[in-house]
Structure formats: structure tokens, C-alpha cells
Amino acid sequence: MCSSPSPSPSARRWDGSRPNSHQRRSLRIAPDSASRLLRCGHTTSCRECGNPVECYPGADDRLVRLHPRELPVAGVPEPCRWHVSRGIAHPAGDGSSWCRLAHDLLCPARPAPTAAPQLSGLRRTLALCTRRLLDTGVLAPPATLTGGPPPGEAVCRPARPVVQLLFVRYLASRPVDEIQCVAQTRRRTRCTAELLGRGGLHGVWTLVPVTVHHGQLALPSDVTAVYSLSALPYQEQLRWRTQRCRDHATASTAGDLAVTDWEPFDPLRHHEHIHTRLPTHGRRPNGHAPRRVWS
């Protein structure tokens, strides 16, 4: 058996690479693409139980958390079935023998639903994963997540503020000064910059009437605190809506590694996030406030 002839030394460069090797090209998002969210950007972890979930926008623009695996429709009740079509989650089956399932039905940190007792086995498996995360210290206990402010410091700071931009009110998933850019950097990691950067245009806190949709009952509280961005230019409000920092606002080819944190605000569904007074500075025992500016 004859062996293939070894390439001559002259067929390679001085560093050993082939002269006809092609340079690798990185994938880019088309400037006219309807979505910049990468496939890996759908996957995240539940803050309550630590199990992986996939986030998709629903037909009503609300964020839907789904179990990452498909399940046979024979073991899932019909009202609990979901399917994903073109990146949108729909609360129904698609006619196939497989379906998706909402994570809220399986989350061990929430009460077990009575409408789907056949899902108790999968729910028990996720509970074991949560126990391992708690034992190894990866997931913080619920008491730590829901703890109050530090001792000696009283802060009126909404954990999930209501933000108004582009004439729509949204419920943010974290305080205004902690909203992070969702763009992908050149190192394929999520950008760590915050939207509320220094030296930029900021919004203002204001008390506005609580408006409800037609046909809904009125709420006991008549006003709520809203972080309004309506006075900013259109491009600045669009940057907040796409949740990008100033460096990635003009980078049309950079993808998103996470779903935006905006959820359309509903006064009835989100009544626990209605605050009837404006945020204030935290006060220390010596009378000096921490260096945090509310715009």
C-alpha cells in the first residue's frame, strides 16, 4: 500500500499554514432584518428556580417563557400547549404530535397547577435541579432574592419601574439604572454597558394618571410613578426600545444575545408595580445620601 506523498516544504508558508487557506468569515445580521435576536439569545435561566428557559415574544408583545424541550401532545392538556412560529409563541398546538409548554406550569418555585397533574414527573425533575443549584450556591435562596434594602438605608426605588417611550408604557424587568444593553460584542459576549450612561439624555420621573383599557374596572389608585422618555428625540427613544447602548445603537450588523426586557404595562395585571409616589434618594444615618442621581 503506497502512502500519499508528503507536501513539500515550499508548499507552506513560514508559519506552517497553507498558502490557499481561506480566511474565516463571521456571520452578520442583515441591515434590513426584522429581528436581530440570535438563536442563542432565546435561552436564559429562570430567576426563581434557576432552570433553563427559552423566551419568545407573544402575539400580544408580551414575553413568554417556554420549556426548552418539546413534549408529546399526548401527555400535555390541550389548554397548556404552545407552539413557536417564525419566532412568535402562540398559545395553541400547531397540529403536529409535539408541542411546547410554558415554564410557569413547571417552575418548582410556584404552586403546582391542578389542571395538569400528568406533568408532575417533569416538575419533580426540575425541582431536583433547583435543589442542586441551591446546594452548590449557584442559585440564591428565595429569602435573599426578596430581601429588603440594606439596614440604615431607606430607598424608594421601584424594582420594576414603568417606563414611557414612543407613546407606550412598558414595565421594565429591573431598575432604570440597571437596564443592560443586549447587543453582542466582538468577543461574542453580551455588552455590559447600561442604557442610562453618563453624559447622555435622561428621562424624568413624573406622576401620571393610571389609565385602563375600555371595559375594565377602575383601580383604587389614580396616579402612578412613570419614568418618562417622551421629551427625548425619536432616535433616543428608539435606542431605549431596542435596548442598546450608544456604541451599539448604530451597529446594524451586531446581533442581540438577549430578549429585550420591555413588557407592555397593564394596570390590572401589574397592579403590584404601581407606585403612588416618586422615587427618592436613600438616606444614611449621618444624613448624607448615596451618590445616585434620579433624573
Side-chain angles (χ1 to χ4, degrees), residues 159-176:
R160 298 192 62 184
V162 181
V163 181
Q164 181 169 338
L165 54 94
L166 299 176
F167 301 100
V168 181
R169 294 178 186 175
Y170 296 95
L171 183 66
S173 63
R174 61 194 65 201
V176 175

Side-chain angles (χ1 to χ4, degrees), residues 90-102:
H90 301 275
D94 57 352
S96 64
S97 58
W98 299 87
C99 67
R100 303 295 295 271
L101 191 63

Side-chain angles (χ1 to χ4, degrees), residues 6-293:
S6 59
S8 60
S10 59
R12 294 179 178 270
R13 297 192 181 100
W14 64 271
D15 57 352
S17 61
R18 297 181 181 275
N20 57 350
S21 60
H22 299 282
Q23 186 178 4
R24 294 183 178 181
R25 297 182 302 172
S26 58
L27 298 178
R28 296 179 180 271
I29 304 296
D32 56 347
S33 176
S35 175
R36 299 179 181 178
L37 183 63
L38 303 178
R39 182 64 183 87
C40 59
H42 291 280
T43 305
T44 182
S45 299
C46 178
R47 295 183 179 181
E48 300 176 1
C49 67
N51 289 288
V53 295
E54 290 186 356
C55 299
Y56 293 91
D60 53 355
D61 292 336
R62 291 190 176 94
L63 196 63
V64 180
R65 301 187 306 170
L66 299 179
H67 186 64
R69 296 182 180 179
E70 292 185 338
L71 300 176
V73 295
V76 179
E78 186 175 357
C80 303
R81 299 173 186 174
W82 288 75
H83 79 277
V84 178
S85 177
R86 296 185 177 182
I88 304 298
H90 301 275
D94 57 352
S96 64
S97 58
W98 299 87
C99 67
R100 303 295 295 271
L101 191 63
H103 176 73
D104 295 344
L105 295 176
L106 304 174
C107 184
R110 300 192 176 189
T114 58
Q118 56 269 43
L119 301 176
S120 58
L122 182 56
R123 182 184 176 89
R124 192 179 304 110
T125 302
L126 297 182
L128 293 177
C129 296
T130 302
R131 173 54 59 184
R132 296 191 189 99
L133 296 177
L134 291 173
D135 294 341
T136 55
V138 178
L139 181 65
T144 305
L145 295 176
T146 58
E153 181 179 353
V155 181
C156 177
R157 183 190 184 207
R160 298 192 62 184
V162 181
V163 181
Q164 181 169 338
L165 54 94
L166 299 176
F167 301 100
V168 181
R169 294 178 186 175
Y170 296 95
L171 183 66
S173 63
R174 61 194 65 201
V176 175
D177 55 347
E178 295 182 4
I179 300 178
Q180 184 182 349
C181 177
V182 298
Q184 182 188 32
T185 62
R186 294 183 178 180
R187 296 185 177 182
R188 301 182 184 275
T189 58
R190 181 176 176 178
C191 178
T192 58
E194 298 174 349
L195 301 188
L196 196 64
R198 297 182 179 180
L201 300 177
H202 295 180
V204 293
W205 284 101
T206 179
L207 292 176
V208 298
V210 179
T211 57
V212 296
H213 298 285
H214 179 71
Q216 294 181 348
L217 298 177
L219 298 176
S221 57
D222 54 349
V223 294
T224 181
V226 173
Y227 188 75
S228 177
L229 300 170
S230 302
L232 302 185
Y234 171 77
Q235 293 297 335
E236 187 70 10
Q237 297 186 48
L238 190 62
R239 180 182 71 85
W240 277 79
R241 181 61 183 88
T242 56
Q243 199 170 331
R244 292 206 164 200
C245 62
R246 290 178 175 83
D247 296 336
H248 289 103
T250 57
S252 59
T253 57
D256 292 349
L257 283 182
V259 183
T260 56
D261 297 331
W262 307 116
E263 182 180 359
F265 176 68
D266 189 341
L268 295 181
R269 295 180 62 251
H270 306 131
H271 60 88
E272 67 273 10
H273 301 292
I274 295 178
H275 300 273
T276 57
R277 60 172 181 161
L278 298 177
T280 56
H281 298 286
R283 296 295 179 181
R284 295 182 179 178
N286 56 7
H288 297 283
R291 294 184 178 180
R292 186 182 298 276
V293 179

